Amino acid sequence: LNDVGWRVFRMDLRGAGAGIRLARRFYNAACSEDVRIVVEHISAAFPDQPIAVVGFSLGGNIVLKFAGEAGARPLPSLRAIAAVAPPIDLVRCSELIARYPFYDAFFVHLLTTQVAQHQLHFPDLPGVVFPRRMILRQFDDLYTAPRWGYADALDYYRQASAFPCIPAIRVPTYILTARDDPFIAVEPFEMLQTPPNV
């Protein structure tokens, strides 16, 4: 995109990448307000410039949730959204990933490693002890849900899923996913009642 003349910003989610030392809490699938704040900041820095927001995987869910919420709180500079392989129904996706122990263990290892690194930067935060063998849903029960005020992983998945937000999207939006993705459920996409701009 830089090569064709676009100005591009890459956003690390809260507590990820370079931001691990800055945020006291990790991102989750519902961090759409963080995206809004970044878009507002870019809009202020470059007034009258159109903005397109792209998200991949969990970031795709976050971007779609952001776009749906922006239907009620429009951002004049927001012109387009794209999401690639977004898990828009986190309940179904968590059930799918549990069927693939290799993928499940891979993501749990990544997340627990991030938590351990984060704890080094914020030793005053309450620590958490994870079971030796754990699935992603257990991680979200033990870590994500309590840190963000959800009752449990199921409550988090239901509230963080972009699925119910997509019909409210008012800007041109492109969603790309594969029917045979091992843990992005395709049925929610087939059930979506999308407006013509999506």
Side-chain angles (χ1 to χ4, degrees):
L1 290 173
N2 278 318
D3 290 346
V4 294
W6 288 44
R7 181 182 288 121
V8 178
F9 297 88
R10 178 180 170 269
M11 177 182 167
D12 282 331
L13 292 171
R14 176 190 296 255
I20 195 166
R21 294 177 173 89
L22 303 174
R24 293 180 62 80
R25 291 192 292 182
F26 266 3
Y27 65 88
N28 71 52
C31 286
S32 51
E33 191 62 25
D34 289 356
V35 175
R36 184 180 181 93
I37 290 167
V38 169
V39 170
E40 287 174 345
H41 180 76
I42 293 170
S43 295
F46 303 99
D48 304 319
Q49 293 294 305
I51 294 178
V53 181
V54 181
F56 299 88
S57 192
L58 194 68
N61 179 79
I62 295 168
V63 163
L64 292 171
K65 191 171 185 305
F66 153 73
E69 293 163 353
R73 296 168 50 208
L75 291 158
S77 58
L78 182 63
R79 303 292 169 79
I81 297 289
V84 179
I88 63 171
D89 183 334
L90 293 164
V91 174
R92 287 184 188 206
C93 291
S94 73
E95 292 166 355
L96 276 181
I97 198 169
R99 297 179 192 170
Y100 295 92
F102 174 80
Y103 287 119
D104 199 305
F106 173 76
F107 284 112
V108 168
H109 175 73
L110 284 179
L111 289 167
T112 55
T113 300
Q114 281 183 323
V115 168
Q117 291 171 344
H118 188 257
Q119 190 68 38
L120 295 175
H121 298 291
F122 296 97
D124 60 309
L125 291 176
V128 60
V129 177
F130 296 112
R132 190 165 185 272
R133 290 183 170 228
M134 178 174 57
I135 62 172
L136 188 57
R137 186 158 181 168
Q138 288 173 301
F139 174 86
D140 287 329
D141 264 327
L142 293 169
Y143 190 81
T144 310
R147 300 280 165 133
W148 286 92
Y150 297 104
D152 54 22
L154 186 59
D155 180 44
Y156 159 53
Y157 295 157
R158 287 179 175 152
Q159 291 194 52
S161 293
F163 180 83
C165 301
I166 293 172
I169 296 175
R170 299 291 173 252
V171 297
T173 298
Y174 183 74
I175 304 171
L176 177 66
T177 195
R179 287 191 181 283
D180 61 352
D181 190 301
F183 46 85
I184 302 296
V186 74
E187 295 83 6
F189 296 98
E190 294 169 337
M191 293 165 31
L192 267 175
Q193 300 294 313
T194 58
N197 56 288
V198 177

